[in-house]
Amino acid sequence: MEQTLSEPFQKLLPILKAAGLDKINHISELSGGLSNHNYRISTPTAEYVFRLNADAADSFCSRTQERFYWRHLANAKLAPELLWVSEDERYYLSAFIKSDVIEGDIIEANIENYGQSRKHSLPWQALEGLCSAADFLQGQDSLHHLPLAFEHDPLNDSHPNQAHRLLLTLLLQLRDLPKGPYGISITEQWQEYHRKMLTFMAPSPIEGESSQIGGDWYERATQLLGIQADIQRWTDTLAGCLLQAQFCHRDLNPHNLLLKDKRLYCIDFEYATASHPLCELATVLATHALTPLQQHFLVQQYLVKHPYLTAEAIFAVPAAIEMYWVLACYWALLMAARQTDPSGHGEYIAWFDFFWPQIS
């Protein structure tokens, strides 16, 4: 059926053949990724995900480390199986998991619209929502009448959706995995990103001016320079409650989770490593449209008797959310700096502008 494929998809056929797929029924592009390109491949016998790795993302991750943790989680039945890797590490082929819908209403997480629901059965990605540290604290303040901790789940089966239960199960499963041979602290990650940003800001030795891409990029880099004291305070807070690093996916946003048979699977392991346990919790809180009560439940149940955190860790949750958005801004700016065409540069500048307002 090769003649039915459009020209861009035709170019994938030799690579797919090298991966062992020579009978292709259909190819379609999968949405959701901010850097890499993913395609759904249908053959007469099975379906796969074919991934083209972005060159710009190579500077952020070790492909060897990424594959280590991908296979690590696949063996634990928490990720689809990685089936093939090209010799140049540019292409991956993995098993395709068709994600189920989450049953129930999707509740507006922000305080102004709290209680308003949309009655649908929707894919997990429909739970996407933005939550800043200020939003989180405002939501928790609205629950001042509740006990500090729950002995049992206060969100019974009549609650509009059960995302909090599924997320807690996944968070605890990930926490209990061996952390592997790699690791980076939140402070080290910030310092690494900051050093790279300063490199791009440095004057060109040839032209005597900024080595990177114009005023829009430089203006946003200056914004990050202006909050360094805040970042230092947030990273110090996080370091103060840490006993030991644990395995962290570090990007558990709704687009990197698949729901199948009432359990969640992870995809995209470019940033997976051993790190601060609050990385996982903060990402979930920052990117999922959860009600304040769902957030409260997740925080309490994830932190209760956590083996790698002090009892004061609950007070560091806002700092962890702040650092999630800080690192997202650094990432967007560094990705913009590595783009070779203006449209790609503009796309990542737009992502920076999307992330920046979430920082207090």
Side-chain angles (χ1 to χ4, degrees):
M1 297 185 64
E2 294 183 8
Q3 57 267 42
T4 66
L5 300 176
S6 63
E7 183 177 351
F9 293 157
Q10 287 277 351
K11 295 178 180 179
L12 299 178
L13 293 176
I15 307 167
L16 292 170
K17 188 172 183 178
L21 304 182
D22 54 2
K23 294 181 179 180
I24 309 297
N25 287 348
H26 185 71
I27 301 176
S28 59
E29 190 162 6
L30 295 170
S31 61
L34 297 187
S35 52
N36 306 307
H37 293 285
N38 295 279
Y39 303 89
R40 180 176 176 178
I41 311 296
S42 299
T43 73
T45 57
E47 290 192 302
Y48 306 90
V49 174
F50 176 76
R51 193 176 98 179
L52 167 59
N53 293 327
D55 292 337
D58 289 346
S59 62
F60 290 94
C61 73
S62 158
R63 296 298 178 189
T64 300
Q65 179 176 335
E66 175 191 24
R67 294 193 301 274
F68 172 86
Y69 283 113
W70 189 337
R71 290 178 171 128
H72 195 45
L73 267 71
N75 289 337
K77 308 301 182 186
L78 293 174
E81 186 179 0
L82 178 61
L83 302 170
W84 176 82
V85 178
S86 63
E87 290 185 4
D88 61 0
E89 302 183 319
R90 185 60 49 222
Y91 307 103
Y92 292 166
L93 187 73
S94 61
F96 176 78
I97 294 178
K98 182 176 175 58
S99 190
D100 297 334
V101 297
I102 180 170
E103 300 293 341
D105 301 344
I106 307 302
I107 298 294
E108 293 289 347
N110 61 75
I111 300 302
E112 291 79 7
N113 297 321
Y114 178 60
Q116 298 180 15
S117 64
R118 307 192 303 275
K119 293 181 178 296
H120 293 291
S121 294
L122 295 173
W124 192 267
Q125 290 74 17
L127 288 173
E128 184 177 25
L130 303 182
C131 180
S132 67
D135 294 332
F136 169 75
L137 288 170
Q138 185 180 4
Q140 298 311 293
D141 286 346
S142 72
L143 304 177
H144 61 85
H145 60 287
L146 295 178
L148 291 178
F150 298 118
E151 185 176 350
H152 304 290
D153 183 353
L155 303 166
N156 57 33
D157 292 333
S158 65
H159 190 266
N161 70 63
Q162 299 300 310
H164 58 289
R165 290 183 180 178
L166 292 161
L167 287 166
L168 177 63
T169 298
L170 177 65
L171 288 172
L172 296 179
Q173 289 172 322
L174 295 177
R175 185 189 73 183
D176 293 340
L177 289 176
K179 62 183 179 181
Y182 306 95
I184 189 169
S185 70
I186 294 179
T187 300
E188 289 167 339
Q189 185 70 84
W190 158 49
Q191 292 171 341
E192 179 182 316
Y193 280 1
H194 190 71
R195 176 182 55 78
K196 290 179 179 179
M197 185 184 76
L198 293 178
T199 300
F200 282 109
M201 293 182 74
S204 167
I206 297 176
E207 300 176 0
E209 58 186 17
S210 174
S211 62
Q212 253 330 301
I213 342 182
D216 59 347
W217 189 94
Y218 196 90
E219 177 185 347
R220 286 155 181 82
T222 302
Q223 288 177 248
L224 284 173
L225 290 177
I227 63 167
Q228 294 303 297
D230 297 305
I231 295 174
Q232 184 69 65
R233 185 175 71 254
W234 295 327
T235 54
D236 287 348
T237 297
L238 290 165
C241 68
L242 178 66
L243 296 176
Q244 183 180 322
Q246 69 170 56
F247 167 76
C248 294
H249 179 282
R250 296 206 300 164
D251 198 12
L252 294 176
N253 71 75
H255 292 283
N256 285 339
L257 296 175
L258 305 173
L259 176 64
K260 187 67 176 177
D261 298 329
K262 297 183 178 180
R263 62 181 297 173
L264 290 171
Y265 294 80
C266 304
I267 59 174
D268 286 355
F269 300 94
E270 289 178 312
Y271 308 103
T273 191
S275 193
H276 200 295
L278 289 182
C279 285
E280 303 294 75
L281 181 63
T283 306
V284 167
L285 295 172
T287 62
H288 283 74
L290 303 172
T291 68
L293 188 55
Q294 286 177 307
Q295 292 179 333
H296 185 82
F297 171 81
L298 268 176
V299 170
Q300 296 292 344
Q301 297 301 313
Y302 181 67
L303 295 182
V304 63
K305 297 181 180 179
H306 196 294
Y308 309 132
L309 294 168
T310 70
E312 288 70 38
I314 191 168
F315 303 111
V317 172
I321 297 174
E322 297 283 16
M323 285 307 300
Y324 173 79
W325 293 117
V326 165
L327 295 176
C329 284
Y330 272 104
W331 173 87
L333 207 59
L334 293 175
M335 287 292 286
R338 288 175 168 81
Q339 301 307 302
T340 57
D341 65 278
S343 62
H345 171 80
E347 179 183 357
Y348 286 106
I349 290 293
W351 279 114
F352 178 97
D353 292 343
F354 184 69
F355 299 144
W356 177 259
Q358 306 307 314
I359 302 173
S360 297

